């Protein structure tokens, strides 16, 4: 009787054991797919690539258009508890910078998010952003914040999320801020290089 009960227990436990690990993406409109169909945004393309390569990961994208680091910080704890991710991609800061918000507060918010993700046992990829040169010294300090945090918290860094498309105006929507559908595979390829080493 005992072997039978053991077999039942193993079968009942199998779905949990086989459940895919989660990649949680916390970003703004650049990751939410502003102006695009949901399936066109790079996080959706990431889910497709993971499936194609038979990697045991699912993608949960909680990115929200207009999100700041403060908003992301407030939403992260419930998301960590709900999804228990193995990897967290933090792609926030663009709206803080464009609005000229205090960089000290942006840093504090990002650091708190990184610390929370690490405490929850997740590996972290921080996706940095850049501002136009006309922002002056603020732009330099803004950009440096991401590298400084990655170094201090010993996490993976993607220095600039939009690196492969930033100099190609034809890959942006009419607002000149949000990448088109055609840009999304290029962004995915760029993210993929930094993300793969975290998929243990």
């Amino acid at each position: 009787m005992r072997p039978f009960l053991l077999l039942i227990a193993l079968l009942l436990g199998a779905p949990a054991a086989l459940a895919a690990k989660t990649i949680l993406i916390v970003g703004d409109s650049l990751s939410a797919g502003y102006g695009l169909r949901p399936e066109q945004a790079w996080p959706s393309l990431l889910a497709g690539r993971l499936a194609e390569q038979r990697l045991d990961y699912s993608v949960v994208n909680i990115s929200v258009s207009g999100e700041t680091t403060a908003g992301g910080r407030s939403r992260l704890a419930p998301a960590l508890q709900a999804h228990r991710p193995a990897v967290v991609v933090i792609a926030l800061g663009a709206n803080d910078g464009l609005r000229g918000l205090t960089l000290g507060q942006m840093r504090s918010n990002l650091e708190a998010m990184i610390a929370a993700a690490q405490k929850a046992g997740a590996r972290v990829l921080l996706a940095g952003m850049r501002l136009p040169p006309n922002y002056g010294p603020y732009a330099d300090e803004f950009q440096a914040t991401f590298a400084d945090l990655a170094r201090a918290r010993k996490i993976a860094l993607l220095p600039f999320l939009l690196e492969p498309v930033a100099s190609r105006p034809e890959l942006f929507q009419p607002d000149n801020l949000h990448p088109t559908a055609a840009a999304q595979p290029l962004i995915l390829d760029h993210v993929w290089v930094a993300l793969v080493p975290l998929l243990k």
Side-chain angles (χ1 to χ4, degrees), residues 43-180:
S44 294
L45 300 183
L46 171 62
R49 179 170 295 185
L50 290 165
E52 287 169 7
Q53 300 205 7
R54 298 185 179 180
L55 292 170
D56 190 27
Y57 283 88
S58 62
V59 176
V60 173
N61 183 15
I62 63 167
S63 301
V64 175
S65 292
E67 188 75 290
T68 61
T69 57
R73 179 178 181 175
S74 70
R75 294 192 302 115
L76 182 59
L80 290 173
Q81 186 172 8
H83 302 291
R84 303 190 182 281
V87 178
V88 175
V89 179
I90 301 174
L92 288 168
N95 289 308
D96 295 64
L98 291 173
R99 298 175 190 179
L101 301 181
T102 304
L103 292 180
Q105 190 60 55
M106 182 183 85
R107 181 188 179 103
S108 175
N109 290 332
L110 289 172
E111 189 161 25
M113 293 178 71
I114 294 165
Q118 290 178 321
K119 185 177 180 181
R123 299 177 290 280
V124 181
L125 172 62
L126 179 62
M129 282 299 298
R130 293 179 188 166
L131 294 174
N134 63 306
Y135 277 74
Y138 179 89
D140 296 334
E141 187 180 347
F142 174 87
Q143 183 179 339
T145 298
F146 299 96
D148 290 347
L149 276 173
R151 211 164 25 244
R153 300 297 309 193
K154 296 181 172 57
I155 60 169
L157 173 70
L158 185 70
F160 182 27
L161 178 64
L162 300 183
E163 182 74 46
V165 301
S167 61
R168 299 178 61 181
E170 73 277 12
L171 291 177
F172 283 81
Q173 297 176 43
D175 62 10
N176 293 318
L177 291 173
H178 298 96
T180 63

